[in-house]
Amino acid sequence: MRKSILPKLTVVAAVLALALTGCSGKSSNTAATVASTQSSESAETTTEKASTVEVTDIHGTVTVPVNPKNVVALDNRTFETLSDWGIKLAAVPKGVMPADSPYVADSEVQDIGDHKEPNLEMIAAADPELVIVGQRFSSYYEDIKKLVPNAAVIDLSFEVSKEAGKSGESFVNGLKDSTITLGKIFDKNEEAEKLTADFDKAIEKAKSAYNGTDKIMSVVVSGGEIGFSAPLSGRVWGPMYEVFGWKSALEVDGASSDHKGDDISVEAIAQSNPDWIFVMDRDAAISSEKDAVPAKDVIDNSPALQNTTAISKGHVVYAPNDTYTNESIQTYLELFDNLASALTK
């Protein structure tokens, strides 16, 4: 009787199957190892790419470390943004900052003084990886670069004067660009994008609220005195005439933008009979001005202004108290919302 060969074939097949399975497993493991290695290398490459970022300031392109250590900030357009993002600072000019800034109260944050007599040596002592220069401190840019040759130094200043041309456009783009730049440096891109988007919305809201015909008077109150803030002049009210299409209440020799501050008397301001008066209180922003008279009191108690349309109708809008020392994008978001609300009543 012939013996069946099926058992032998079954055994052979099983052996072959095991061999193939082993090869397959080894191949799979090898592929997984290669993929893992490639992924790790890719992650390392990505990390290397993210360790620095190139940003553009008024002097050109600067390579800046992402999330730098020992940061010194001198630009008052940046303080509130950095504070909101929880960025630690090594040194700031506390003398020209809002009194309620957390950096002012923090004893670990060094005070380099104000822009008139800054202690620049303190910047060097902080051994910063990044120094953010701007506005009042822009004149010290070259000195600071020499003091900290190993640090990245960026100057986020932007010009909004009449002489620079297109002051409104420069104002809007300057604030947005500096915010985006800070977002890149401190890995806060989403937060920066949201701030600039909200800023655009606030501009459109305030622009839509203005009827296009009311006459606007913008002033700065300082030392109990009322000074004219001319269209296209100065950092705060000036650019807004272009941004919002405001009509100025006061024109002197057909060129209101050539006159500002002490050039114009309160009587001349009153005679222009503005429909609206927009006020910035300079002293309220400076912590050293303890005995300053609030701008509202100065405006309310000015005999010359009492018969103007703006005063009689209660058409007076005050910029946030810290505006003079805090020209952050957040300050303007608040101001534009206030303007829109007032103009639509």
Side-chain angles (χ1 to χ4, degrees):
M1 185 173 173
R2 292 175 54 186
K3 293 182 180 180
S4 173
I5 62 172
L6 286 177
K8 291 184 178 181
L9 290 176
T10 301
V11 171
V12 173
V15 172
L16 288 173
L18 286 172
L20 289 173
T21 300
C23 291
S24 175
K26 188 179 294 184
S27 175
S28 176
N29 290 338
T30 302
T33 301
V34 171
S36 177
T37 302
Q38 290 176 340
S39 177
S40 176
E41 291 175 351
S42 176
E44 289 177 5
T45 303
T46 302
T47 302
E48 288 177 6
K49 288 181 179 179
S51 64
T52 62
V53 63
E54 287 192 346
V55 301
T56 302
D57 68 0
I58 62 172
H59 301 284
T61 301
V62 185
T63 300
V64 181
V66 174
N67 288 321
K69 299 176 182 177
N70 297 344
V71 178
V72 175
L74 307 174
D75 182 2
N76 77 343
R77 288 176 172 138
T78 66
F79 298 139
E80 187 168 357
T81 301
L82 296 174
S83 174
D84 285 353
W85 290 350
I87 306 303
K88 293 184 178 181
L89 297 179
V92 297
K94 295 186 179 183
V96 287
M97 293 179 67
D100 61 354
S101 170
Y103 297 126
V104 172
D106 190 342
S107 60
E108 293 185 0
V109 179
Q110 299 300 306
D111 180 12
I112 73 160
D114 63 26
H115 58 290
K116 295 178 181 178
E117 295 182 356
N119 184 353
L120 298 183
E121 294 297 333
M122 192 169 287
I123 296 176
D127 190 24
E129 284 192 333
L130 172 66
V131 180
I132 303 171
V133 181
Q135 294 197 110
R136 296 180 177 91
F137 286 85
S138 60
S139 61
Y140 299 104
Y141 174 78
E142 293 297 339
D143 294 330
I144 292 171
K145 284 192 69 176
K146 291 176 183 177
L147 278 172
V148 286
N150 296 322
V153 181
I154 59 172
D155 186 351
L156 297 183
S157 301
F158 51 88
E159 185 58 64
V160 295
S161 68
K162 173 190 174 185
E163 291 73 22
K166 297 184 177 180
S167 65
E169 181 179 329
S170 178
F171 164 76
V172 171
N173 291 339
L175 268 178
K176 290 169 63 176
D177 289 346
S178 61
T179 301
I180 294 298
T181 295
L182 293 176
K184 292 178 179 178
I185 293 171
F186 295 101
D187 196 21
K188 298 287 185 181
N189 293 298
E190 290 185 7
E191 291 86 343
E193 291 289 350
K194 185 179 186 307
L195 273 174
T196 56
D198 289 345
F199 184 61
D200 284 335
K201 291 176 184 176
I203 289 174
E204 288 306 312
K205 186 178 178 181
K207 190 173 184 179
S208 299
Y210 177 57
N211 62 17
T213 58
D214 281 357
K215 295 180 296 180
I216 307 298
M217 168 58 60
S218 53
V219 299
V220 175
V221 175
S222 178
E225 300 294 329
I226 301 172
F228 176 47
S229 178
L232 310 184
S233 295
R235 295 197 307 267
V236 178
W237 297 120
M240 294 186 200
Y241 283 84
E242 184 177 277
V243 173
F244 300 119
W246 291 343
K247 293 187 181 302
S248 177
L250 182 60
E251 291 188 8
V252 180
D253 298 330
S256 62
S257 59
D258 290 335
H259 301 267
K260 58 184 178 180
D262 296 334
D263 294 338
I264 306 299
S265 67
V266 177
E267 288 71 25
I269 292 173
Q271 289 172 10
S272 72
N273 192 27
D275 296 297
W276 290 88
I277 298 178
F278 298 152
V279 186
M280 182 178 76
D281 189 338
R282 181 183 182 277
D283 296 341
I286 304 174
S287 58
S288 61
E289 298 291 341
K290 301 293 185 182
D291 301 321
V293 180
K296 188 176 187 307
D297 291 349
V298 176
I299 297 293
D300 289 347
N301 296 324
S302 172
L305 296 177
Q306 298 314 303
N307 293 325
T308 62
T309 299
I311 296 297
S312 63
K313 291 187 174 182
H315 287 178
V316 183
V317 179
Y318 294 86
N321 280 341
D322 64 355
T323 299
Y324 183 69
T325 56
N326 178 15
E327 293 180 61
S328 65
I329 195 169
Q330 289 91 340
T331 295
Y332 287 107
L333 279 168
E334 181 181 350
L335 175 54
F336 294 169
D337 282 343
N338 292 343
L339 288 170
S341 297
L343 290 169
T344 51
K345 287 181 180 179

